[in-house]
Amino acid sequence: MVADFRLRFWVSAVLSVPVLALSPMIQAFLGLDNALAFTGDTYVLFALSSIVFFYGGWPFLKGLFSELASLRPGMMTLIALAISVAFFYSSAVVFGLSGKVFFWELVTLIDVMLLGHWIEMKSVMGASGALEALVKLLPSTAHRLDDDGEIVDVAIADLKPGDRVLVKPGEKVPTDGIIVKGRSSFNEAMLTGESRPVEKGPDQEAVGGAVNGEGSVTLEIRKTGAETYLSQVIDMVRQAQETRSRTQDLANRAALWLTYIALTAGTATLIFWLGTGEEFSFALERMVTVMVITCPHALGLAVPLVVAVSTRLTAQNGLLIRDRAAFERARNLDTVLFDKTGTLTEGKFSVSGVVALGDMPEAEVLSLAAGLESQSEHPIARGVARGAHERGVSAKSASDFRNITGQGAEATIEGRKVQVVSPGFLRENGKEVDDPKVRKHADEGDTVVYVVVDGEPVGAIALADVIREESFEAISRLKKMGIRCMMVTGDATPVARSVAEQLGLDEYFAEILPDQKAEKVRDVKARSLTVAMIGDGVNDAPALVESDLGIAIGAGTDVAIESADVVLVRSDPRDVFAILALSRATYSKMVQNLLWATGYNTFAIPLAAGVGYPWGVLLTPAFGAALMSLSTVVVAINAKLLGRAGNLANRSD
């Protein structure tokens, strides 16, 4: 549709040049009376104008019938009415009716309307790619195990319940199933919001789309197609997109009233002048002048120009607007609902505490762990290495590194056997530790691993998802503005409580699944609150669509970005302030433009109808055209002034 409007605009614009050159009114205005006249010029003018009317004006003529069929006349009705009156009246003049041709008015109106629709559609375009992005989370093939144990790569669509598939380290789980062999950790952050890799073994369920960690596992397929967890998320996104209400376009409402005014005033003008005994040609010209001066040149650009300017400004400030209607509603926000993992937090582990369980110093415990974990790419291993670096602790040199599938890793350091293992490993080997400091970290939701040297636990390391530095500032400023700040997460309650307390959030919702996230948004909206949802994962997609304003962190998944109304390209939660500032300024400019675009009709229409005729004041079509041009220029200048609506780059305002 964008390409169609673009093509129609350029074809119409090219044909409009000779139409303007051949129009008597334009020639008179430029002092070129009859300078370009030639035999049959009026028929050439008619032919060119007919092409512009039927080709360039077709989207509006088609829209007229659609709006009338739904009994909701709007912008398309007004445009179609204006160009039809100008075309058929001017055609009648060409073929003998007394009067003046308005072909130049016809083609310029079509050009401006095509340009306005092209700009608007380009600025707010796009069928959402959320569903396609969700589907891409699944691999295209799976390693199916035949009855004889042979591995055969098959398409996901060919899998059926009961099939067994092999999932290798680093691969995505093809579809929902039960682990029948092997043990590994699974990264489900983009599906459930759980920031910690989830350890799973035999008889536990693996979710399609989750990323397998360090171990190979064999799954027995339990669900396929529409039954899978990911498919249910896709359905929720689709349903939310289809049922999401959109604010009615202000320009359409203004066009509706202008349509009524144009029809009423035009008809009343014709009847009045005929009733006073004036000639039909005079009465008809008065009616046409009224209809023409009501033509929405400025109205057609009032909103698109502001949208175009605000889109440019937001792009310059790291904000990508995907839904204008939702963006405009941001001016009324009073509640912001944050996802935790990857939004308020960095989505990666770091050391939150080290507990020595014997005589070994804490720094020595961390140094041994960092030396071992430097050999691994596991998220916890990277967190230990990162934590040691942040604390200025050097990692010891390790050799003979080996994974302990699903439970940790081991290596040789300075001639000693060093292991970094899970609490489950200690329990299985009769070395379970009960320490109040360790217990405190676990109660706060931290992930705890133990450092074992030559078979004896010497320390524990607690890891937590790191809260973004920007999050503290963002929450503080939002609360100063009187906006309630809440958090919704799939993480465990202790983790959520710890983050909420550190940031000073008003409320938090923990252990929430995707369907529950969307439900929580609905619950908050039910309190008569206008809600913005900020997130970055697949699990956030339904909630992003359900909210009044969905905001995606730019570093998140394609799903979240495609489901959102606004994308924070810089992944900075403080950019919510820029959204609020620009939303308010944009809406203000739209209202100003709409008031100006329709307001000049208050005095122009009565003059066009002939109110001043008894006193010798009669608004000519040329003067009416000048008024319309002035209105369009004022609208364009006012839209440009949006760039002065505050310094968005300074987010401390």
Side-chain angles (χ1 to χ4, degrees):
M1 292 179 71
V2 173
D4 181 59
F5 272 107
R6 181 175 63 242
L7 178 61
R8 290 180 189 273
F9 167 73
W10 285 116
V11 171
S12 300
V14 170
L15 293 177
S16 296
V17 175
V19 170
L20 292 172
L22 295 174
S23 296
M25 196 177 298
I26 299 299
Q27 292 183 24
F29 180 75
L30 297 176
L32 301 174
D33 294 324
N34 299 320
L36 301 176
F38 58 88
T39 303
D41 57 354
T42 55
Y43 297 107
V44 173
L45 181 62
F46 166 73
L48 293 173
S49 301
S50 297
I51 297 174
V52 175
F53 175 71
F54 288 108
Y55 177 72
W58 174 245
F60 311 113
L61 298 173
K62 184 172 66 174
L64 163 69
F65 294 111
S66 298
E67 290 183 349
L68 292 181
S70 62
L71 301 179
R72 297 181 63 185
M75 179 69 80
M76 292 299 189
T77 301
L78 181 57
I79 298 169
L81 184 64
I83 63 176
S84 297
V85 168
F87 176 74
F88 290 112
Y89 173 76
S90 300
S91 299
V93 171
V94 169
F95 292 102
L97 182 71
S98 176
K100 299 181 177 64
V101 294
F102 288 93
F103 286 131
W104 68 272
E105 168 65 21
L106 162 73
V107 297
T108 56
L109 177 57
I110 289 176
D111 291 344
V112 169
M113 291 302 104
L114 288 173
L115 177 61
H117 279 73
W118 177 21
I119 291 173
E120 183 171 21
M121 293 180 69
K122 189 175 180 181
S123 299
V124 301
M125 83 173 186
S128 173
L131 303 183
E132 290 83 353
L134 279 166
V135 173
K136 289 178 182 177
L137 283 179
L138 289 176
S140 57
T141 61
H143 310 304
R144 187 172 66 189
L145 297 173
D146 286 349
D147 294 337
D148 57 2
E150 290 293 319
I151 298 176
V152 180
D153 288 347
V154 298
I156 297 296
D158 294 335
L159 293 176
K160 58 184 183 297
D163 284 349
R164 295 197 172 193
V165 297
L166 177 67
V167 185
K168 300 176 182 179
E171 292 184 337
K172 293 179 180 178
V173 176
T175 186
D176 296 2
I178 299 294
I179 299 174
V180 294
K181 181 181 179 182
R183 175 178 290 275
S184 185
S185 61
F186 294 84
N187 185 346
E188 300 178 348
M190 290 302 156
L191 291 162
T192 65
E194 173 62 62
S195 59
R196 295 176 292 185
V198 182
E199 257 186 50
K200 294 186 177 182
D203 300 325
Q204 290 184 291
E205 184 179 15
V207 180
V211 180
N212 184 22
E214 68 285 345
S216 293
V217 296
T218 300
L219 300 181
E220 182 176 305
I221 302 302
R222 292 294 175 92
K223 297 177 182 178
T224 59
E227 298 176 342
T228 64
Y229 177 86
L230 188 57
S231 292
Q232 291 171 5
V233 176
I234 291 174
D235 285 339
M236 282 185 288
V237 173
R238 181 186 291 114
Q239 291 169 11
Q241 286 176 332
E242 291 173 352
T243 59
R244 174 168 54 178
S245 63
R246 297 182 182 274
T247 54
Q248 186 178 9
D249 192 350
L250 284 173
N252 277 336
R253 276 181 275 174
L256 172 63
W257 284 104
L258 274 183
T259 301
Y260 293 150
I261 292 170
L263 289 171
T264 304
T267 303
T269 299
L270 178 67
I271 294 173
F272 174 80
W273 288 114
L274 288 176
T276 60
E278 291 289 342
E279 294 182 2
F280 177 75
S281 61
F282 177 85
L284 184 60
E285 183 176 301
R286 289 297 94 216
M287 184 194 78
V288 171
T289 304
V290 169
M291 302 292 282
V292 167
I293 205 165
T294 316
C295 289
H297 279 75
L299 183 60
L301 289 176
V303 172
L305 280 179
V306 175
V307 170
V309 173
S310 66
T311 301
R312 175 178 57 81
L313 289 175
T314 52
Q316 290 174 349
N317 287 275
L319 311 172
L320 176 61
I321 307 301
R322 302 191 68 254
D323 186 310
R324 176 175 56 81
F327 168 64
E328 291 168 12
R329 291 196 295 271
R331 71 188 190 281
N332 297 320
L333 284 179
D334 45 33
T335 303
V336 175
L337 191 59
F338 290 92
D339 170 53
K340 182 186 78 70
T341 306
T343 303
L344 290 175
T345 66
E346 296 181 4
K348 58 186 180 182
F349 286 106
S350 187
V351 174
S352 58
V354 180
V355 178
L357 299 175
D359 297 331
M360 185 179 291
E362 291 180 359
E364 179 76 4
V365 172
L366 185 56
S367 179
L368 289 171
L372 186 155
E373 299 288 33
S374 64
Q375 308 292 308
S376 173
E377 288 301 312
H378 190 282
I380 289 179
R382 290 197 296 267
V384 171
R386 183 183 303 110
H389 177 73
E390 291 171 351
R391 294 168 179 242
V393 175
S394 299
K396 292 183 180 293
S397 178
S399 61
D400 302 325
F401 175 85
R402 185 177 70 86
N403 273 315
I404 304 173
T405 304
Q407 294 186 309
E410 64 183 23
T412 301
I413 300 178
E414 297 178 346
R416 294 177 291 178
K417 180 182 178 182
V418 178
Q419 298 170 311
V420 176
V421 295
S422 67
F425 179 87
L426 292 186
R427 282 195 297 271
E428 291 177 9
N429 288 275
K431 297 288 186 177
E432 191 169 359
V433 173
D434 185 14
D435 184 276
K437 292 181 181 178
V438 175
R439 201 162 52 242
K440 181 175 181 296
H441 279 291
D443 290 342
E444 291 176 353
D446 292 352
T447 296
V448 177
V449 294
Y450 290 89
V451 180
V452 179
V453 177
D454 294 331
E456 293 298 323
V458 297
I461 298 175
L463 299 104
D465 194 0
V466 182
I467 297 177
R468 292 174 183 266
E469 289 294 328
E470 304 89 349
S471 296
F472 292 95
E473 192 174 351
I475 298 299
S476 174
R477 293 177 184 172
L478 283 170
K479 295 186 72 172
K480 286 180 182 178
M481 293 174 64
I483 294 177
R484 294 178 61 83
C485 297
M486 306 178 185
M487 180 181 71
V488 59
T489 177
D491 254 342
T493 299
V495 178
R497 181 171 57 246
S498 175
V499 172
E501 289 175 351
Q502 291 181 65
L503 290 173
L505 299 175
D506 295 296
E507 292 183 54
Y508 68 89
F509 310 101
E511 300 177 20
I512 304 299
L513 296 176
D515 56 325
Q516 295 171 323
K517 279 195 174 184
E519 185 179 333
K520 286 299 178 186
V521 172
R522 286 192 291 271
D523 290 345
V524 176
K525 288 170 65 176
R527 305 181 198 174
S528 299
L529 298 173
T530 304
V531 181
M533 172 70 192
I534 305 179
D536 74 327
V538 174
N539 61 305
D540 304 318
L544 288 172
V545 179
E546 186 65 42
S547 64
D548 295 300
L549 181 72
I551 303 174
I553 292 291
T557 65
D558 290 342
V559 179
I561 291 173
E562 292 294 341
S563 300
D565 304 307
V566 180
V567 178
L568 306 184
V569 178
R570 290 188 286 229
S571 300
D572 189 339
R574 294 176 299 179
D575 280 337
V576 175
F577 292 97
I579 295 172
L580 294 175
L582 189 58
S583 174
R584 291 168 181 171
T586 298
Y587 186 79
S588 176
K589 287 297 179 186
M590 285 182 180
V591 172
Q592 292 169 16
N593 275 2
L594 289 172
L595 288 175
W596 176 261
T598 56
Y600 82 101
N601 286 298
T602 304
F603 70 91
I605 289 178
L607 289 177
V611 169
Y613 184 60
W615 299 278
V617 178
L618 191 64
L619 185 64
T620 65
F623 189 70
L627 278 176
M628 282 184 297
S629 299
L630 175 62
S631 179
T632 304
V633 169
V634 169
V635 164
I637 292 175
N638 193 45
K640 285 291 184 182
L641 292 177
L642 178 62
R644 301 174 61 184
N647 181 8
L648 293 181
N650 185 0
R651 294 184 297 275
S652 63
D653 293 342

